[in-house]
Amino acid sequence: MAAPRGFCAGVDRAIEMVEKAIERYGAPVYVRHEIVHNETVVNRLRDLGAVFVDELDEVPDDRPVLFSAHGVPKSVPAEAEQRKLLYLDATCPLVSKVHIETERHHRRGAHVILIGHAGHPEVEGTMGQLPADAMTLIETVEDAEGFEPKTDGPLAYVTQTTLSVDDTIQIVDVLKRRFPEIWVPHKDDICYATTNRQEAVKAIAAEADLLFVVGSPTSSNSLRLVEVGMKAGCPVGRLIENVDAIDWDMVEKLSPSVVALTAGASAPETAVQGVVQGFRERFNLDLQEVETTRENVEFKLPRELV
């Protein structure tokens, strides 16, 4: 088992904000998009009284609404203020840092390159901080090689916080080679939790015959953990929501002697322990935890909920 794994500080904060909002304002409390990308977490909050919607026009005027941990375009809080909605922003502070960097580069006259995955809510939120023509999304090394600026002005780049560290370095290297004067972030945008979980997977993957990552298919950082583990030497990797998603016939056929187990930053530890129990019921299990670093990061709740 990799350590660290599972919930990061931004996810903890976002989930607690929904719980506190339900306590303070009563149910229902509305949430624009999934608060975090995990079905188990979302279903539990739904049972408590959270209502998840796609857009603000689904939110009644008299009920509070929260924005997800992935961040939102500027147009969303602007619409909420226009309607005089009570809104709470659960955007992860590390995502907010990227938004601030993006605006800073724009004010200095730079065209901003965002390294990320099209369609991800965090990317949509970051792209929505600037006018449409002020930012370009780059997803791959090939995109970086083919990018041609439309003006002679300065360039800057920022990144989605949940990317593969190794893949992102390759893209950044291309941009630095092609545009030596490009402005870089003061500090890596990929968040500490994503980096730590990828390093922990690397530490165990090469010794394993099979890797399970507990997380949802919509979770970018969970998908990256599968990729990182397989690149690090594990021949078979699977993303699973929980123990019920395990193909036990596949496990029996592979007959692994070592199974690596971790969880994405929005996956609850209860789901991880459910997987452990599933193996314990079927095999003689020797459980070992490999800790590569210890996390002590906490993000404060907004004043409205304290």
Side-chain angles (χ1 to χ4, degrees), residues 1-5 199-201 203-204 207 288-293:
M1 296 178 70
R5 63 178 179 272
E199 291 302 315
V201 163
I204 63 175
E207 300 178 20
Q288 300 178 18
E289 186 169 75
V290 177
E291 185 177 69
T292 54
T293 188

Side-chain angles (χ1 to χ4, degrees), residues 209-212 235-238 247-257 259:
D209 310 302
L210 173 62
L211 164 67
F212 281 118
V236 181
R238 295 287 187 271
D247 181 349
W248 293 108
D249 290 338
M250 180 269 291
V251 177
E252 291 279 4
K253 185 176 180 180
L254 286 175
S255 187
S257 59
V259 176

